[in-house]
Amino acid sequence: QVQLAESGGGLVQAGGSLRLSCAASGLTFRNYGLGWFRQAPGKEREFVAAISFRGSSTFYADPVKGRCTISRDNDKKIVYLQMNSLKPEDTATYYCAADLFRSSGGPVGYDYWGQGTQVTVSS
């Protein structure tokens, strides 16, 4: 079955960097657009970034634009989220998601979700 496994979260000081990874299995990775989302305690899940299934388009939420970069490695079946200049408000559980032949940004319509990785940014 399809599995998405996030890793790379942790505790980091404000201004630091983290690179999240999401390893996929059980799907034809190159056919899937991929997204990163996050959910902070007491808040709704929000869109962070996405990359189209061809890898030619990327999309970012305003709060992370200029600080985050999403990328994919189709050979390794991994999608990455490089996060720089982290702020305490970036603290959340980060999830990756996959959607077949997706070429757009936005939060809806994803088929598969991972279990999440915790990111905590201290001030």
PDB file of all heavy atoms in Angstrom, residues 29-65:
ATOM      1  N   PHE A  29       5.972   7.320  -8.112  1.00  0.00           N
ATOM      2  CA  PHE A  29       6.290   8.607  -7.514  1.00  0.00           C
ATOM      3  C   PHE A  29       6.257   9.746  -8.531  1.00  0.00           C
ATOM      4  O   PHE A  29       5.728  10.814  -8.256  1.00  0.00           O
ATOM      5  CB  PHE A  29       7.671   8.510  -6.853  1.00  0.00           C
ATOM      6  CG  PHE A  29       8.068   9.716  -6.056  1.00  0.00           C
ATOM      7  CD1 PHE A  29       7.551   9.914  -4.785  1.00  0.00           C
ATOM      8  CD2 PHE A  29       8.979  10.629  -6.562  1.00  0.00           C
ATOM      9  CE1 PHE A  29       7.936  11.008  -4.029  1.00  0.00           C
ATOM     10  CE2 PHE A  29       9.373  11.722  -5.824  1.00  0.00           C
ATOM     11  CZ  PHE A  29       8.843  11.922  -4.541  1.00  0.00           C
ATOM     12  N   ARG A  30       6.805   9.515  -9.726  1.00  0.00           N
ATOM     13  CA  ARG A  30       6.928  10.588 -10.710  1.00  0.00           C
ATOM     14  C   ARG A  30       5.563  11.092 -11.195  1.00  0.00           C
ATOM     15  O   ARG A  30       5.476  12.152 -11.810  1.00  0.00           O
ATOM     16  CB  ARG A  30       7.753  10.115 -11.897  1.00  0.00           C
ATOM     17  CG  ARG A  30       7.108   9.021 -12.711  1.00  0.00           C
ATOM     18  CD  ARG A  30       7.971   8.590 -13.893  1.00  0.00           C
ATOM     19  NE  ARG A  30       7.360   7.521 -14.660  1.00  0.00           N
ATOM     20  CZ  ARG A  30       7.490   6.245 -14.372  1.00  0.00           C
ATOM     21  NH1 ARG A  30       8.220   5.875 -13.324  1.00  0.00           N
ATOM     22  NH2 ARG A  30       6.904   5.330 -15.116  1.00  0.00           N
ATOM     23  N   ASN A  31       4.514  10.338 -10.924  1.00  0.00           N
ATOM     24  CA  ASN A  31       3.182  10.736 -11.362  1.00  0.00           C
ATOM     25  C   ASN A  31       2.427  11.570 -10.326  1.00  0.00           C
ATOM     26  O   ASN A  31       1.277  11.933 -10.561  1.00  0.00           O
ATOM     27  CB  ASN A  31       2.336   9.510 -11.706  1.00  0.00           C
ATOM     28  CG  ASN A  31       2.795   8.841 -12.979  1.00  0.00           C
ATOM     29  OD1 ASN A  31       3.533   9.426 -13.769  1.00  0.00           O
ATOM     30  ND2 ASN A  31       2.372   7.605 -13.168  1.00  0.00           N
ATOM     31  N   TYR A  32       3.078  11.830  -9.209  1.00  0.00           N
ATOM     32  CA  TYR A  32       2.379  12.497  -8.112  1.00  0.00           C
ATOM     33  C   TYR A  32       2.937  13.881  -7.820  1.00  0.00           C
ATOM     34  O   TYR A  32       4.149  14.067  -7.707  1.00  0.00           O
ATOM     35  CB  TYR A  32       2.465  11.655  -6.834  1.00  0.00           C
ATOM     36  CG  TYR A  32       1.484  10.515  -6.827  1.00  0.00           C
ATOM     37  CD1 TYR A  32       1.737   9.356  -7.548  1.00  0.00           C
ATOM     38  CD2 TYR A  32       0.284  10.611  -6.125  1.00  0.00           C
ATOM     39  CE1 TYR A  32       0.824   8.321  -7.565  1.00  0.00           C
ATOM     40  CE2 TYR A  32      -0.637   9.582  -6.128  1.00  0.00           C
ATOM     41  CZ  TYR A  32      -0.361   8.438  -6.859  1.00  0.00           C
ATOM     42  OH  TYR A  32      -1.275   7.414  -6.864  1.00  0.00           O
ATOM     43  N   GLY A  33       2.009  14.852  -7.726  1.00  0.00           N
ATOM     44  CA  GLY A  33       2.358  16.121  -7.121  1.00  0.00           C
ATOM     45  C   GLY A  33       2.435  15.933  -5.615  1.00  0.00           C
ATOM     46  O   GLY A  33       1.725  15.092  -5.040  1.00  0.00           O
ATOM     47  N   LEU A  34       3.301  16.706  -4.984  1.00  0.00           N
ATOM     48  CA  LEU A  34       3.580  16.502  -3.570  1.00  0.00           C
ATOM     49  C   LEU A  34       3.462  17.810  -2.816  1.00  0.00           C
ATOM     50  O   LEU A  34       3.833  18.872  -3.331  1.00  0.00           O
ATOM     51  CB  LEU A  34       4.983  15.934  -3.403  1.00  0.00           C
ATOM     52  CG  LEU A  34       5.177  14.614  -4.160  1.00  0.00           C
ATOM     53  CD1 LEU A  34       6.623  14.402  -4.500  1.00  0.00           C
ATOM     54  CD2 LEU A  34       4.636  13.457  -3.359  1.00  0.00           C
ATOM     55  N   GLY A  35       2.962  17.723  -1.624  1.00  0.00           N
ATOM     56  CA  GLY A  35       2.790  18.919  -0.818  1.00  0.00           C
ATOM     57  C   GLY A  35       3.279  18.718   0.594  1.00  0.00           C
ATOM     58  O   GLY A  35       3.374  17.591   1.089  1.00  0.00           O
ATOM     59  N   TRP A  36       3.588  19.834   1.224  1.00  0.00           N
ATOM     60  CA  TRP A  36       3.889  19.866   2.650  1.00  0.00           C
ATOM     61  C   TRP A  36       2.844  20.732   3.342  1.00  0.00           C
ATOM     62  O   TRP A  36       2.491  21.817   2.845  1.00  0.00           O
ATOM     63  CB  TRP A  36       5.281  20.437   2.917  1.00  0.00           C
ATOM     64  CG  TRP A  36       6.405  19.498   2.626  1.00  0.00           C
ATOM     65  CD1 TRP A  36       7.148  19.421   1.479  1.00  0.00           C
ATOM     66  CD2 TRP A  36       6.910  18.480   3.498  1.00  0.00           C
ATOM     67  NE1 TRP A  36       8.082  18.429   1.588  1.00  0.00           N
ATOM     68  CE2 TRP A  36       7.968  17.839   2.826  1.00  0.00           C
ATOM     69  CE3 TRP A  36       6.585  18.054   4.789  1.00  0.00           C
ATOM     70  CZ2 TRP A  36       8.698  16.788   3.386  1.00  0.00           C
ATOM     71  CZ3 TRP A  36       7.314  17.023   5.349  1.00  0.00           C
ATOM     72  CH2 TRP A  36       8.356  16.395   4.660  1.00  0.00           C
ATOM     73  N   PHE A  37       2.393  20.240   4.477  1.00  0.00           N
ATOM     74  CA  PHE A  37       1.416  20.950   5.289  1.00  0.00           C
ATOM     75  C   PHE A  37       1.918  20.963   6.728  1.00  0.00           C
ATOM     76  O   PHE A  37       2.828  20.209   7.069  1.00  0.00           O
ATOM     77  CB  PHE A  37       0.062  20.225   5.238  1.00  0.00           C
ATOM     78  CG  PHE A  37      -0.587  20.258   3.887  1.00  0.00           C
ATOM     79  CD1 PHE A  37      -0.144  19.419   2.870  1.00  0.00           C
ATOM     80  CD2 PHE A  37      -1.627  21.115   3.620  1.00  0.00           C
ATOM     81  CE1 PHE A  37      -0.729  19.452   1.614  1.00  0.00           C
ATOM     82  CE2 PHE A  37      -2.232  21.157   2.368  1.00  0.00           C
ATOM     83  CZ  PHE A  37      -1.775  20.313   1.369  1.00  0.00           C
ATOM     84  N   ARG A  38       1.319  21.791   7.548  1.00  0.00           N
ATOM     85  CA  ARG A  38       1.688  21.794   8.957  1.00  0.00           C
ATOM     86  C   ARG A  38       0.458  22.081   9.814  1.00  0.00           C
ATOM     87  O   ARG A  38      -0.497  22.707   9.357  1.00  0.00           O
ATOM     88  CB  ARG A  38       2.781  22.822   9.245  1.00  0.00           C
ATOM     89  CG  ARG A  38       2.371  24.282   9.068  1.00  0.00           C
ATOM     90  CD  ARG A  38       3.579  25.185   9.217  1.00  0.00           C
ATOM     91  NE  ARG A  38       3.224  26.591   9.102  1.00  0.00           N
ATOM     92  CZ  ARG A  38       4.114  27.584   9.082  1.00  0.00           C
ATOM     93  NH1 ARG A  38       5.420  27.315   9.167  1.00  0.00           N
ATOM     94  NH2 ARG A  38       3.705  28.844   8.976  1.00  0.00           N
ATOM     95  N   GLN A  39       0.534  21.601  11.042  1.00  0.00           N
ATOM     96  CA  GLN A  39      -0.544  21.844  11.987  1.00  0.00           C
ATOM     97  C   GLN A  39       0.047  22.125  13.355  1.00  0.00           C
ATOM     98  O   GLN A  39       0.751  21.279  13.917  1.00  0.00           O
ATOM     99  CB  GLN A  39      -1.496  20.656  12.061  1.00  0.00           C
ATOM    100  CG  GLN A  39      -2.733  20.935  12.902  1.00  0.00           C
ATOM    101  CD  GLN A  39      -3.804  19.884  12.713  1.00  0.00           C
ATOM    102  OE1 GLN A  39      -3.549  18.774  12.254  1.00  0.00           O
ATOM    103  NE2 GLN A  39      -5.037  20.221  13.046  1.00  0.00           N
ATOM    104  N   ALA A  40      -0.229  23.301  13.859  1.00  0.00           N
ATOM    105  CA  ALA A  40       0.211  23.683  15.198  1.00  0.00           C
ATOM    106  C   ALA A  40      -0.884  23.324  16.201  1.00  0.00           C
ATOM    107  O   ALA A  40      -2.053  23.227  15.836  1.00  0.00           O
ATOM    108  CB  ALA A  40       0.519  25.171  15.242  1.00  0.00           C
ATOM    109  N   PRO A  41      -0.527  23.150  17.456  1.00  0.00           N
ATOM    110  CA  PRO A  41      -1.529  22.813  18.470  1.00  0.00           C
ATOM    111  C   PRO A  41      -2.653  23.854  18.514  1.00  0.00           C
ATOM    112  O   PRO A  41      -2.395  25.055  18.541  1.00  0.00           O
ATOM    113  CB  PRO A  41      -0.725  22.832  19.773  1.00  0.00           C
ATOM    114  CG  PRO A  41       0.668  22.524  19.355  1.00  0.00           C
ATOM    115  CD  PRO A  41       0.837  23.173  18.012  1.00  0.00           C
ATOM    116  N   GLY A  42      -3.879  23.369  18.461  1.00  0.00           N
ATOM    117  CA  GLY A  42      -5.025  24.251  18.536  1.00  0.00           C
ATOM    118  C   GLY A  42      -5.358  24.971  17.249  1.00  0.00           C
ATOM    119  O   GLY A  42      -6.279  25.797  17.227  1.00  0.00           O
ATOM    120  N   LYS A  43      -4.629  24.672  16.194  1.00  0.00           N
ATOM    121  CA  LYS A  43      -4.879  25.340  14.918  1.00  0.00           C
ATOM    122  C   LYS A  43      -5.221  24.321  13.844  1.00  0.00           C
ATOM    123  O   LYS A  43      -4.923  23.138  13.985  1.00  0.00           O
ATOM    124  CB  LYS A  43      -3.654  26.158  14.497  1.00  0.00           C
ATOM    125  CG  LYS A  43      -3.331  27.312  15.430  1.00  0.00           C
ATOM    126  CD  LYS A  43      -2.240  28.182  14.868  1.00  0.00           C
ATOM    127  CE  LYS A  43      -1.965  29.382  15.741  1.00  0.00           C
ATOM    128  NZ  LYS A  43      -0.913  30.263  15.181  1.00  0.00           N
ATOM    129  N   GLU A  44      -5.799  24.817  12.767  1.00  0.00           N
ATOM    130  CA  GLU A  44      -6.108  23.937  11.651  1.00  0.00           C
ATOM    131  C   GLU A  44      -4.850  23.675  10.819  1.00  0.00           C
ATOM    132  O   GLU A  44      -3.906  24.459  10.828  1.00  0.00           O
ATOM    133  CB  GLU A  44      -7.196  24.563  10.776  1.00  0.00           C
ATOM    134  CG  GLU A  44      -8.535  24.664  11.479  1.00  0.00           C
ATOM    135  CD  GLU A  44      -9.662  25.017  10.536  1.00  0.00           C
ATOM    136  OE1 GLU A  44      -9.397  25.287   9.352  1.00  0.00           O
ATOM    137  OE2 GLU A  44     -10.820  25.010  10.994  1.00  0.00           O
ATOM    138  N   ARG A  45      -4.886  22.566  10.126  1.00  0.00           N
ATOM    139  CA  ARG A  45      -3.782  22.256   9.228  1.00  0.00           C
ATOM    140  C   ARG A  45      -3.713  23.297   8.121  1.00  0.00           C
ATOM    141  O   ARG A  45      -4.744  23.698   7.583  1.00  0.00           O
ATOM    142  CB  ARG A  45      -3.985  20.869   8.636  1.00  0.00           C
ATOM    143  CG  ARG A  45      -2.837  20.377   7.771  1.00  0.00           C
ATOM    144  CD  ARG A  45      -3.047  18.920   7.418  1.00  0.00           C
ATOM    145  NE  ARG A  45      -4.281  18.720   6.673  1.00  0.00           N
ATOM    146  CZ  ARG A  45      -4.845  17.535   6.505  1.00  0.00           C
ATOM    147  NH1 ARG A  45      -4.307  16.452   7.053  1.00  0.00           N
ATOM    148  NH2 ARG A  45      -5.956  17.428   5.793  1.00  0.00           N
ATOM    149  N   GLU A  46      -2.505  23.709   7.766  1.00  0.00           N
ATOM    150  CA  GLU A  46      -2.344  24.725   6.729  1.00  0.00           C
ATOM    151  C   GLU A  46      -1.324  24.271   5.681  1.00  0.00           C
ATOM    152  O   GLU A  46      -0.376  23.538   5.983  1.00  0.00           O
ATOM    153  CB  GLU A  46      -1.915  26.064   7.319  1.00  0.00           C
ATOM    154  CG  GLU A  46      -0.568  26.075   8.000  1.00  0.00           C
ATOM    155  CD  GLU A  46      -0.165  27.464   8.470  1.00  0.00           C
ATOM    156  OE1 GLU A  46      -0.922  28.439   8.232  1.00  0.00           O
ATOM    157  OE2 GLU A  46       0.918  27.586   9.069  1.00  0.00           O
ATOM    158  N   PHE A  47      -1.553  24.742   4.488  1.00  0.00           N
ATOM    159  CA  PHE A  47      -0.659  24.460   3.377  1.00  0.00           C
ATOM    160  C   PHE A  47       0.656  25.201   3.570  1.00  0.00           C
ATOM    161  O   PHE A  47       0.674  26.347   4.004  1.00  0.00           O
ATOM    162  CB  PHE A  47      -1.340  24.910   2.083  1.00  0.00           C
ATOM    163  CG  PHE A  47      -0.459  24.936   0.888  1.00  0.00           C
ATOM    164  CD1 PHE A  47      -0.111  23.754   0.251  1.00  0.00           C
ATOM    165  CD2 PHE A  47       0.032  26.129   0.396  1.00  0.00           C
ATOM    166  CE1 PHE A  47       0.701  23.781  -0.871  1.00  0.00           C
ATOM    167  CE2 PHE A  47       0.837  26.162  -0.719  1.00  0.00           C
ATOM    168  CZ  PHE A  47       1.172  24.984  -1.353  1.00  0.00           C
ATOM    169  N   VAL A  48       1.765  24.524   3.232  1.00  0.00           N
ATOM    170  CA  VAL A  48       3.083  25.139   3.313  1.00  0.00           C
ATOM    171  C   VAL A  48       3.706  25.296   1.927  1.00  0.00           C
ATOM    172  O   VAL A  48       4.110  26.386   1.526  1.00  0.00           O
ATOM    173  CB  VAL A  48       4.026  24.322   4.221  1.00  0.00           C
ATOM    174  CG1 VAL A  48       5.429  24.925   4.226  1.00  0.00           C
ATOM    175  CG2 VAL A  48       3.471  24.222   5.630  1.00  0.00           C
ATOM    176  N   ALA A  49       3.793  24.187   1.195  1.00  0.00           N
ATOM    177  CA  ALA A  49       4.469  24.227  -0.102  1.00  0.00           C
ATOM    178  C   ALA A  49       4.026  23.030  -0.924  1.00  0.00           C
ATOM    179  O   ALA A  49       3.567  22.018  -0.380  1.00  0.00           O
ATOM    180  CB  ALA A  49       5.979  24.213   0.072  1.00  0.00           C
ATOM    181  N   ALA A  50       4.183  23.142  -2.239  1.00  0.00           N
ATOM    182  CA  ALA A  50       3.850  22.034  -3.121  1.00  0.00           C
ATOM    183  C   ALA A  50       4.757  22.064  -4.340  1.00  0.00           C
ATOM    184  O   ALA A  50       5.287  23.119  -4.714  1.00  0.00           O
ATOM    185  CB  ALA A  50       2.388  22.089  -3.541  1.00  0.00           C
ATOM    186  N   ILE A  51       4.909  20.896  -4.944  1.00  0.00           N
ATOM    187  CA  ILE A  51       5.665  20.786  -6.182  1.00  0.00           C
ATOM    188  C   ILE A  51       4.864  19.918  -7.141  1.00  0.00           C
ATOM    189  O   ILE A  51       4.274  18.906  -6.741  1.00  0.00           O
ATOM    190  CB  ILE A  51       7.075  20.207  -5.918  1.00  0.00           C
ATOM    191  CG1 ILE A  51       7.925  20.226  -7.186  1.00  0.00           C
ATOM    192  CG2 ILE A  51       7.016  18.805  -5.309  1.00  0.00           C
ATOM    193  CD1 ILE A  51       9.404  19.994  -6.910  1.00  0.00           C
ATOM    194  N   SER A  52       4.805  20.325  -8.401  1.00  0.00           N
ATOM    195  CA  SER A  52       4.007  19.611  -9.384  1.00  0.00           C
ATOM    196  C   SER A  52       4.599  18.244  -9.691  1.00  0.00           C
ATOM    197  O   SER A  52       5.783  17.980  -9.419  1.00  0.00           O
ATOM    198  CB  SER A  52       3.908  20.432 -10.664  1.00  0.00           C
ATOM    199  OG  SER A  52       5.197  20.610 -11.245  1.00  0.00           O
ATOM    200  N   PHE A  53       3.802  17.377 -10.298  1.00  0.00           N
ATOM    201  CA  PHE A  53       4.288  16.021 -10.556  1.00  0.00           C
ATOM    202  C   PHE A  53       5.454  16.036 -11.540  1.00  0.00           C
ATOM    203  O   PHE A  53       6.318  15.165 -11.480  1.00  0.00           O
ATOM    204  CB  PHE A  53       3.147  15.122 -11.018  1.00  0.00           C
ATOM    205  CG  PHE A  53       2.719  15.297 -12.448  1.00  0.00           C
ATOM    206  CD1 PHE A  53       3.192  14.461 -13.442  1.00  0.00           C
ATOM    207  CD2 PHE A  53       1.804  16.278 -12.794  1.00  0.00           C
ATOM    208  CE1 PHE A  53       2.773  14.612 -14.751  1.00  0.00           C
ATOM    209  CE2 PHE A  53       1.386  16.438 -14.091  1.00  0.00           C
ATOM    210  CZ  PHE A  53       1.875  15.605 -15.084  1.00  0.00           C
ATOM    211  N   ARG A  54       5.507  17.034 -12.427  1.00  0.00           N
ATOM    212  CA  ARG A  54       6.645  17.135 -13.344  1.00  0.00           C
ATOM    213  C   ARG A  54       7.849  17.802 -12.694  1.00  0.00           C
ATOM    214  O   ARG A  54       8.937  17.781 -13.251  1.00  0.00           O
ATOM    215  CB  ARG A  54       6.250  17.914 -14.592  1.00  0.00           C
ATOM    216  CG  ARG A  54       5.301  17.188 -15.518  1.00  0.00           C
ATOM    217  CD  ARG A  54       5.201  17.880 -16.872  1.00  0.00           C
ATOM    218  NE  ARG A  54       4.405  17.096 -17.815  1.00  0.00           N
ATOM    219  CZ  ARG A  54       3.120  17.290 -18.042  1.00  0.00           C
ATOM    220  NH1 ARG A  54       2.481  18.236 -17.365  1.00  0.00           N
ATOM    221  NH2 ARG A  54       2.462  16.552 -18.909  1.00  0.00           N
ATOM    222  N   GLY A  55       7.621  18.408 -11.542  1.00  0.00           N
ATOM    223  CA  GLY A  55       8.704  19.102 -10.858  1.00  0.00           C
ATOM    224  C   GLY A  55       9.006  20.478 -11.410  1.00  0.00           C
ATOM    225  O   GLY A  55       9.936  21.143 -10.953  1.00  0.00           O
ATOM    226  N   SER A  56       8.206  20.920 -12.360  1.00  0.00           N
ATOM    227  CA  SER A  56       8.496  22.188 -13.033  1.00  0.00           C
ATOM    228  C   SER A  56       7.883  23.385 -12.329  1.00  0.00           C
ATOM    229  O   SER A  56       8.245  24.535 -12.623  1.00  0.00           O
ATOM    230  CB  SER A  56       7.985  22.127 -14.476  1.00  0.00           C
ATOM    231  OG  SER A  56       6.607  21.793 -14.495  1.00  0.00           O
ATOM    232  N   SER A  57       6.936  23.144 -11.417  1.00  0.00           N
ATOM    233  CA  SER A  57       6.268  24.247 -10.718  1.00  0.00           C
ATOM    234  C   SER A  57       6.301  24.014  -9.219  1.00  0.00           C
ATOM    235  O   SER A  57       6.114  22.881  -8.758  1.00  0.00           O
ATOM    236  CB  SER A  57       4.805  24.358 -11.170  1.00  0.00           C
ATOM    237  OG  SER A  57       4.717  24.637 -12.548  1.00  0.00           O
ATOM    238  N   THR A  58       6.533  25.084  -8.505  1.00  0.00           N
ATOM    239  CA  THR A  58       6.486  25.035  -7.040  1.00  0.00           C
ATOM    240  C   THR A  58       5.569  26.140  -6.526  1.00  0.00           C
ATOM    241  O   THR A  58       5.375  27.165  -7.197  1.00  0.00           O
ATOM    242  CB  THR A  58       7.881  25.192  -6.418  1.00  0.00           C
ATOM    243  OG1 THR A  58       8.475  26.407  -6.894  1.00  0.00           O
ATOM    244  CG2 THR A  58       8.786  24.017  -6.773  1.00  0.00           C
ATOM    245  N   PHE A  59       5.021  25.923  -5.360  1.00  0.00           N
ATOM    246  CA  PHE A  59       4.055  26.839  -4.777  1.00  0.00           C
ATOM    247  C   PHE A  59       4.361  26.958  -3.283  1.00  0.00           C
ATOM    248  O   PHE A  59       4.710  25.966  -2.642  1.00  0.00           O
ATOM    249  CB  PHE A  59       2.627  26.301  -4.956  1.00  0.00           C
ATOM    250  CG  PHE A  59       2.312  25.898  -6.366  1.00  0.00           C
ATOM    251  CD1 PHE A  59       2.577  24.606  -6.803  1.00  0.00           C
ATOM    252  CD2 PHE A  59       1.754  26.802  -7.253  1.00  0.00           C
ATOM    253  CE1 PHE A  59       2.297  24.225  -8.103  1.00  0.00           C
ATOM    254  CE2 PHE A  59       1.458  26.434  -8.551  1.00  0.00           C
ATOM    255  CZ  PHE A  59       1.745  25.150  -8.978  1.00  0.00           C
ATOM    256  N   TYR A  60       4.194  28.158  -2.760  1.00  0.00           N
ATOM    257  CA  TYR A  60       4.504  28.389  -1.356  1.00  0.00           C
ATOM    258  C   TYR A  60       3.432  29.244  -0.704  1.00  0.00           C
ATOM    259  O   TYR A  60       2.890  30.165  -1.323  1.00  0.00           O
ATOM    260  CB  TYR A  60       5.856  29.085  -1.207  1.00  0.00           C
ATOM    261  CG  TYR A  60       7.013  28.270  -1.731  1.00  0.00           C
ATOM    262  CD1 TYR A  60       7.467  28.426  -3.037  1.00  0.00           C
ATOM    263  CD2 TYR A  60       7.622  27.316  -0.924  1.00  0.00           C
ATOM    264  CE1 TYR A  60       8.515  27.661  -3.524  1.00  0.00           C
ATOM    265  CE2 TYR A  60       8.673  26.553  -1.408  1.00  0.00           C
ATOM    266  CZ  TYR A  60       9.110  26.730  -2.710  1.00  0.00           C
ATOM    267  OH  TYR A  60      10.142  25.953  -3.174  1.00  0.00           O
ATOM    268  N   ALA A  61       3.175  28.950   0.556  1.00  0.00           N
ATOM    269  CA  ALA A  61       2.307  29.819   1.340  1.00  0.00           C
ATOM    270  C   ALA A  61       3.079  31.084   1.700  1.00  0.00           C
ATOM    271  O   ALA A  61       4.303  31.059   1.879  1.00  0.00           O
ATOM    272  CB  ALA A  61       1.856  29.094   2.606  1.00  0.00           C
ATOM    273  N   ASP A  62       2.359  32.175   1.837  1.00  0.00           N
ATOM    274  CA  ASP A  62       3.011  33.453   2.108  1.00  0.00           C
ATOM    275  C   ASP A  62       3.909  33.446   3.347  1.00  0.00           C
ATOM    276  O   ASP A  62       5.003  34.031   3.319  1.00  0.00           O
ATOM    277  CB  ASP A  62       1.962  34.562   2.230  1.00  0.00           C
ATOM    278  CG  ASP A  62       1.373  34.958   0.882  1.00  0.00           C
ATOM    279  OD1 ASP A  62       1.987  34.634  -0.149  1.00  0.00           O
ATOM    280  OD2 ASP A  62       0.293  35.578   0.877  1.00  0.00           O
ATOM    281  N   PRO A  63       3.499  32.787   4.445  1.00  0.00           N
ATOM    282  CA  PRO A  63       4.353  32.837   5.650  1.00  0.00           C
ATOM    283  C   PRO A  63       5.733  32.202   5.478  1.00  0.00           C
ATOM    284  O   PRO A  63       6.634  32.485   6.280  1.00  0.00           O
ATOM    285  CB  PRO A  63       3.528  32.072   6.687  1.00  0.00           C
ATOM    286  CG  PRO A  63       2.120  32.176   6.220  1.00  0.00           C
ATOM    287  CD  PRO A  63       2.216  32.128   4.725  1.00  0.00           C
ATOM    288  N   VAL A  64       5.897  31.342   4.478  1.00  0.00           N
ATOM    289  CA  VAL A  64       7.179  30.648   4.325  1.00  0.00           C
ATOM    290  C   VAL A  64       7.907  31.051   3.048  1.00  0.00           C
ATOM    291  O   VAL A  64       9.044  30.633   2.831  1.00  0.00           O
ATOM    292  CB  VAL A  64       7.015  29.118   4.355  1.00  0.00           C
ATOM    293  CG1 VAL A  64       6.297  28.690   5.634  1.00  0.00           C
ATOM    294  CG2 VAL A  64       6.293  28.601   3.124  1.00  0.00           C
ATOM    295  N   LYS A  65       7.269  31.867   2.226  1.00  0.00           N
ATOM    296  CA  LYS A  65       7.866  32.251   0.958  1.00  0.00           C
ATOM    297  C   LYS A  65       9.199  32.955   1.199  1.00  0.00           C
ATOM    298  O   LYS A  65       9.308  33.858   2.029  1.00  0.00           O
ATOM    299  CB  LYS A  65       6.897  33.168   0.205  1.00  0.00           C
ATOM    300  CG  LYS A  65       7.038  33.150  -1.291  1.00  0.00           C
ATOM    301  CD  LYS A  65       5.885  33.882  -1.956  1.00  0.00           C
ATOM    302  CE  LYS A  65       4.612  33.080  -1.880  1.00  0.00           C
ATOM    303  NZ  LYS A  65       3.487  33.722  -2.607  1.00  0.00           N
TER     304      LYS A  65
END
